[in-house]
Structure formats: structure tokens, C-alpha cells
Amino acid sequence: MSFSPCIKLCEGTLSVMMRRLVFAAAGLALATAVAAVVALYLSNSGLREAAKNATAPAIGGPFSLIDHTGRGVTEADYRGKLMVVYFGYTFCPDVCPTGLYKIAQALDALGEDANGVHPLFITVDPERDTTAVMKDYVANFHPDLVGLSGSLEQIGATTKAYRVYVAKAEPEAGAAADEYLVDHTAITYVMGRDGGFRQALSHGSSVEEITAAIRKALDDRS
Ligand code: NI
């Protein structure tokens, strides 16, 4: 009598389990490593390094858009002051209003120093966000807030330059064709007087953190 069939079977089962375990562990390690790299990349220091490094593509750059008064503008029109740039769309149910409200609060907290800042709201949804729509919308938040729209190509080039993720969702069943949501990056970019990248603030940033980041960029005379 031999136990070998059972042992073989058990060994076989064991080795399959071990292999699965090793695969799972390797998968987890890989996922963790990827998450760590992404987190590092998204951290401010990572972004700042990327912006400083001439070989890495910088965040921001030239743009050609239409402001909420109907005037054609480029990034050169905003030189000499900081740009605080936020991408979103007026139909956004809560993320954009929250982000813009916090930027407005930060501008108020800066007092007279806010004169050194151009707060810019750039739409990711130019098809609905016309000049007239943008004009009404920005007035809800702050008198200094500039709403920028443009053609699909102009907006596409700008979101690409700022590496903003934009994904138009299908309207819900029963909703009108123009009642769609747009998934988008909700980052506040602080750009220097030279138009260069200074800092990126996540959606969760507090008014105090946004205020401090703007103040730091204002104090930076380089
Ligand atoms: Ni939004």
C-alpha cells in the first residue's frame, strides 16, 4: 500500500496554492509599488522637480482662450501676477463650486495681496460653457475671478498643457442630451509671475493651505 497518490495529489494542490499565494503577493507588491510611485509623482515636490527639470514636460505653458467678457487672451496677458488656475465646468454639481468657493475665500484672506493674483477658472466643457454662461457663473464666486472658455481645440490644448484629465460621461437614462457630467481633475495650480509652475493643491486642501501656497508664491521673487 502506498500513500504516494495522495501525497502527490496533496503536493500538487499545495504547489498550486503556493503559486497562487506567490502570485497574489507579487501582485500586491506591484500594486503597492505603482501606488507609491504615483503618490510620489503627484506630490508637490515631485511636480516641482518635474517643472524644474528641463527634460521633463512642465505643467502649464502657452494658451489661447476667450475670457468671460469675450476678449481673446493668452498666458502672456497674465504675466507679472500669479495665476491661480482651476479647471472645471459650470454644470458641475459640487466639486467645482466647492473648489472655487475655497479659492475665493483664500483671495479674501489675502486682502490687498490678492491684487497680485489672477484667479482663472478654465472650463473643460466649452460646448456648454459659453462666454455668457461663464460670465454669470464666475460672478457667483469672486469679483476677480476670470472665466476662460474657447473652442474645443483651444481647451484641449490647455488641459493637455496642464495635464488635466477630462472625461465626458453619458447622460443618465431619461436625462436630456446636454445634461451630462464631466469627470475632471480638481487641482488648484499656483503659477508664478513668469507663468511657471509653483504648486499644485489637491481638492481636499483647506482655505488656509490654499492661502499659504499663494502667499509663498507671492513672496518668491525669483
Ligand atoms: Ni467639477
Side-chain angles (χ1 to χ4, degrees), residues 46-162:
L47 286 173
R48 211 173 304 135
E49 282 309 306
K52 274 183 187 168
N53 190 342
T55 58
I59 293 199
F63 60 73
S64 175
L65 298 166
I66 315 285
D67 77 8
H68 67 259
T69 70
R71 186 174 69 117
V73 294
T74 71
E75 81 294 343
D77 290 300
Y78 302 111
R79 288 278 157 77
K81 288 190 183 187
L82 304 186
M83 291 190 294
V84 173
V85 187
Y86 189 89
F87 289 84
Y89 66 115
T90 65
F91 195 72
C92 186
D94 49 30
V95 172
C96 290
T98 305
L100 291 172
Y101 179 72
K102 284 195 279 187
I103 290 171
Q105 295 281 95
L107 292 170
D108 287 343
L110 286 165
E112 289 209 342
D113 292 341
N115 292 331
V117 181
H118 286 299
L120 308 179
F121 173 57
I122 304 179
T123 186
V124 296
D125 182 21
E127 288 164 291
R128 286 183 298 186
D129 288 341
T130 60
T131 299
V133 169
M134 292 295 272
K135 189 179 180 186
D136 286 345
Y137 189 73
V138 293
N140 294 319
F141 295 96
H142 198 277
D144 293 345
L145 184 63
V146 174
L148 298 175
S149 189
S151 67
L152 276 172
E153 291 72 24
Q154 287 174 316
I155 292 296
T158 312
T159 54
K160 194 179 172 194
Y162 279 81

Side-chain angles (χ1 to χ4, degrees), residues 9-28:
L9 184 70
C10 294
E11 273 177 356
T13 312
L14 206 70
S15 88
V16 166
M17 281 176 69
M18 281 300 288
R19 226 175 293 150
R20 281 186 188 158
L21 211 67
V22 168
F23 269 117
L28 191 70

